[in-house]
Amino acid sequence: MFAYILRRLLLIPPTLLGIMIINFAVVQILPGGPVEQLISQLTGEAVDSTARVGGEAGSEVAGDQAAGPQPGDQGGVAAKYRGAQGLPPEIIEDLEKRFGLDKPAHERFWLMMKRYLTFDFGDSYFRDQSVTELVLDKMPVSISLGLWTTLLVYLISIPLGIAKAVRDGSKFDVWTSGVVIFGNAVPGFLFAIMLIVLFAGGRYLDWFPLRGLVSDNFDELSTLEQIKDYFWHLTLPILSMVIGGFAGLTMLTKNSFLDQIHQQYVITARSKGLTEKQVLYGHVFRNAMLIVIAGFPAAFIGILFTGSLLTEIIFSLDGLGLLGFDAALTRDYPVMFATLYFFTLLGLVMGIIGDVMYHIIDPRIDFEAREV
């Protein structure tokens, strides 16, 4: 197993490099960029979605460069950017230097990757913080959503999937299948809106808060009250994410158990006089849970970094999903590429952990015997 893990670890650098190259190249092709964002601030043409993030940096540039627009100055530097006509070329050159865009693309890429090797992610273009500080600041929200959602999804889906497999074709299986279909059909964000309308003062009951991870007076509360306040704020967001996540895992668990229940070794175990519980949890469980448990790392990564975006927006939770969305809108390249680098690296490592979990659950699985 050690040799297999070593080979997988050696594959991480080229895989990560390839992903970064592709995404960097795509960003260079796309229209817009950080220079255009600040030009829109200087010319008063910024849209609301970017003004919140870019206003601070834009005002700083406007203060440093007091020269107003000069119609008729159509310098070659200014002409490269939409909306730059009329601005002095010196301002455009200064913006390019601030963002490092005065260097060729390949040089910028290799300088970025050299810094990333030491986890030096630089500073955000439009926020007065380093990327590391931003990520650490937003991490508690996303970890709270991802960890509790994944835990609840597994706690609900595995027992429910086993019960459905054991009672396959019964009324219980039929009715629970209806619940599963409903959960799979209704988008999580739509269910979140429904929860707000019903339980967060939208129209009917006002039982839960509508925004934030904790209350404004959180620091003044006792430890027990802080715990209650924390889960009080998390109830609706997590419930909306669990509804959309448990359906697929429930059916995966059921089908995995059904496949194993009809295997020859199960018939042999029953013929030896073992009870159904001994057969189910002593023999079937280990084999059937392989695919379910091994998928835990990927499920956690998916919920943590992608599945919570709309939930964070709807419930005003300032987490990593919202941070990445804002960075993409404003072309905040340091935040975009640093989070891509870190989360891709984490995903690759979690993939290895998933294979290790396969081996731990069933030592008969020998990855070293496979060709990589």
Side-chain angles (χ1 to χ4, degrees), residues 37-38 41-42 53-63 126:
Q37 295 295 324
L38 289 188
Q41 295 291 321
L42 292 172
V53 181
E56 195 172 295
S59 60
E60 178 187 346
V61 175
F126 305 118

Side-chain angles (χ1 to χ4, degrees), residues 300-320:
F300 177 70
I301 291 293
I303 293 174
L304 180 59
F305 300 129
T306 59
S308 62
L309 172 58
L310 290 176
T311 302
E312 290 179 10
I313 294 174
I314 293 171
F315 290 98
S316 299
L317 298 173
D318 195 8
L320 292 173

